[in-house]
Coordinates of all heavy atoms in Angstrom, one line a residue:
D814 N 0.9 -1.2 -0.1 CA 0.0 -0.1 0.0 C 0.9 1.2 0.0 O 0.7 2.3 -0.7 CB -0.9 0.1 1.3 CG -2.1 -1.0 1.2 OD1 -2.4 -1.5 -0.1 OD2 -2.7 -1.2 2.1
A815 N 1.9 1.3 0.8 CA 2.8 2.5 1.0 C 3.5 2.7 -0.3 O 3.9 3.8 -0.7 CB 3.7 2.3 2.1
W816 N 3.8 1.7 -1.1 CA 4.5 1.6 -2.3 C 3.6 1.9 -3.5 O 4.1 1.9 -4.6 CB 5.3 0.4 -2.5 CG 6.6 0.1 -1.7 CD1 7.1 1.0 -0.9 CD2 7.1 -1.2 -1.3 NE1 8.1 0.4 -0.1 CE2 8.1 -0.9 -0.4 CE3 6.9 -2.4 -1.7 CZ2 8.9 -1.9 0.3 CZ3 7.6 -3.5 -1.2 CH2 8.6 -3.2 -0.2
S817 N 2.4 2.1 -3.3 CA 1.3 2.2 -4.3 C 1.3 1.1 -5.2 O 1.0 1.1 -6.5 CB 1.5 3.7 -5.1 OG 1.6 4.7 -4.3
L818 N 1.3 -0.1 -4.6 CA 1.3 -1.3 -5.4 C 0.1 -2.2 -4.7 O 0.3 -3.4 -4.6 CB 2.6 -2.1 -5.4 CG 3.8 -1.4 -6.1 CD1 5.0 -2.2 -5.8 CD2 3.4 -1.3 -7.5
P819 N -1.0 -1.8 -4.2 CA -1.9 -2.5 -3.5 C -2.6 -3.6 -4.4 O -3.1 -4.7 -3.9 CB -3.0 -1.5 -3.1 CG -2.9 -0.5 -4.1 CD -1.5 -0.4 -4.4
D820 N -2.5 -3.5 -5.7 CA -3.0 -4.5 -6.6 C -2.3 -5.7 -6.6 O -2.8 -6.8 -7.0 CB -3.3 -4.0 -8.0 CG -2.0 -3.3 -8.5 OD1 -1.4 -2.4 -7.8 OD2 -1.6 -3.6 -9.7
L821 N -1.0 -5.7 -6.2 CA -0.2 -6.9 -6.1 C -0.5 -7.8 -4.9 O -0.1 -8.9 -4.8 CB 1.3 -6.6 -6.1 CG 1.6 -5.8 -7.4 CD1 3.1 -5.6 -7.4 CD2 1.4 -6.7 -8.6
A822 N -1.1 -7.1 -3.8 CA -1.3 -7.8 -2.5 C -2.0 -9.1 -2.5 O -1.5 -10.1 -1.9 CB -2.1 -6.8 -1.6
P823 N -3.1 -9.4 -3.3 CA -3.7 -10.7 -3.2 C -2.7 -11.9 -3.6 O -2.6 -12.8 -3.0 CB -4.9 -10.7 -4.1 CG -5.2 -9.2 -4.1 CD -4.0 -8.5 -4.0
A824 N -2.1 -11.7 -4.7 CA -1.2 -12.7 -5.2 C 0.1 -12.8 -4.3 O 0.5 -13.8 -4.0 CB -0.6 -12.4 -6.6
A825 N 0.7 -11.7 -3.8 CA 1.9 -11.7 -3.1 C 1.7 -12.3 -1.7 O 2.3 -13.1 -1.1 CB 2.5 -10.3 -2.9
E826 N 0.4 -12.0 -1.1 CA 0.1 -12.5 0.2 C -0.1 -14.1 0.2 O 0.3 -14.8 1.0 CB -1.2 -11.8 0.8 CG -1.0 -10.4 1.1 CD -2.2 -9.8 1.7 OE1 -3.0 -10.4 2.4 OE2 -2.5 -8.6 1.3
L827 N -0.8 -14.5 -0.9 CA -1.0 -15.9 -1.1 C 0.2 -16.7 -1.3 O 0.5 -17.7 -0.6 CB -1.9 -16.1 -2.2 CG -2.2 -17.7 -2.6 CD1 -2.8 -18.5 -1.4 CD2 -3.1 -18.0 -3.8
A828 N 1.2 -16.2 -2.0 CA 2.5 -16.9 -2.3 C 3.3 -16.8 -1.1 O 3.9 -17.8 -0.7 CB 3.1 -16.1 -3.5
L829 N 3.3 -15.6 -0.3 CA 4.0 -15.6 0.9 C 3.4 -16.6 1.9 O 4.3 -17.4 2.6 CB 3.9 -14.2 1.5 CG 4.6 -14.1 2.9 CD1 6.0 -14.3 2.9 CD2 4.2 -12.7 3.5
T830 N 2.2 -16.8 2.0 CA 1.6 -17.8 2.9 C 2.2 -19.1 2.6 O 2.4 -19.9 3.5 CB 0.1 -17.7 2.8 OG1 -0.4 -16.4 3.2 CG2 -0.6 -18.7 3.7
E831 N 2.1 -19.5 1.4 CA 2.5 -20.9 0.9 C 4.1 -21.0 1.3 O 4.3 -22.1 1.7 CB 2.3 -21.1 -0.5 CG 0.9 -21.1 -1.0 CD 0.1 -22.2 -0.2 OE1 0.6 -23.2 0.1 OE2 -1.1 -21.9 0.1
L832 N 4.9 -20.1 1.0 CA 6.3 -20.3 1.4 C 6.5 -20.4 2.9 O 7.3 -21.3 3.3 CB 7.1 -19.2 0.9 CG 7.2 -18.9 -0.6 CD1 8.1 -17.8 -1.0 CD2 7.4 -20.2 -1.4
L833 N 5.8 -19.7 3.7 CA 5.8 -19.8 5.2 C 5.3 -21.2 5.6 O 5.8 -21.8 6.6 CB 5.2 -18.7 5.9 CG 5.8 -17.3 5.6 CD1 5.0 -16.2 6.2 CD2 7.2 -17.2 6.2
A834 N 4.2 -21.6 5.0 CA 3.7 -23.0 5.3 C 4.8 -24.0 5.1 O 4.8 -25.0 5.8 CB 2.4 -23.2 4.6
N835 N 5.6 -23.9 4.1 CA 6.6 -24.8 3.8 C 7.7 -24.9 4.9 O 8.1 -25.9 5.2 CB 7.2 -24.7 2.4 CG 6.3 -25.2 1.3 OD1 5.4 -25.9 1.4 ND2 6.7 -24.7 0.0
V836 N 7.9 -23.7 5.4 CA 8.9 -23.6 6.5 C 8.4 -24.4 7.7 O 9.0 -25.1 8.4 CB 9.3 -22.1 6.8 CG1 10.1 -22.1 8.0 CG2 10.0 -21.5 5.6
V837 N 7.1 -24.0 8.0 CA 6.5 -24.6 9.2 C 6.6 -26.2 9.0 O 6.7 -26.8 9.9 CB 5.0 -24.1 9.4 CG1 4.4 -24.8 10.4 CG2 5.1 -22.5 9.8
R838 N 6.2 -26.7 7.9 CA 6.0 -28.0 7.7 C 7.3 -28.8 7.5 O 7.5 -30.0 7.9 CB 5.1 -28.3 6.5 CG 4.9 -29.8 6.1 CD 3.9 -29.9 5.1 NE 2.7 -30.0 5.6 CZ 1.5 -30.2 5.0 NH1 1.5 -30.4 3.6 NH2 0.4 -30.2 5.7
H839 N 8.3 -28.2 6.8 CA 9.5 -29.0 6.4 C 10.8 -28.5 7.1 O 11.7 -29.2 6.9 CB 9.7 -28.8 4.8 CG 8.5 -29.3 4.1 ND1 8.1 -30.7 4.1 CD2 7.4 -28.8 3.4 CE1 7.1 -30.9 3.4 NE2 6.6 -29.7 2.9
V840 N 10.8 -27.4 7.8 CA 12.2 -27.1 8.4 C 12.0 -27.3 9.8 O 11.2 -26.7 10.6 CB 12.5 -25.5 8.1 CG1 13.7 -25.0 8.9 CG2 12.5 -25.3 6.7
P841 N 12.9 -28.3 10.4 CA 12.8 -28.7 11.8 C 12.7 -27.4 12.9 O 12.0 -27.6 13.8 CB 14.0 -29.5 11.9 CG 14.4 -30.0 10.5 CD 14.0 -28.9 9.6
D842 N 13.7 -26.5 12.7 CA 13.7 -25.5 13.8 C 12.7 -24.4 13.4 O 12.6 -23.4 14.1 CB 15.0 -25.0 13.9 CG 15.7 -24.4 12.8 OD1 15.1 -24.2 11.7 OD2 16.9 -24.0 12.8

């Protein structure tokens, strides 16, 4: 929003969620 790119938020947020889910699921620490 601050960078005037709010239209990228839905895609970027979904992709970020998936990458973090992989850390939770597959990285021991």
Side-chain angles (χ1 to χ4, degrees):
D814 286 345
W816 294 336
S817 300
L818 298 170
D820 49 313
L821 300 180
E826 288 179 41
L827 177 59
L829 174 61
T830 300
E831 293 303 328
L832 297 189
L833 293 172
N835 283 345
V836 172
V837 169
R838 179 174 276 185
H839 301 292
V840 177
D842 62 5

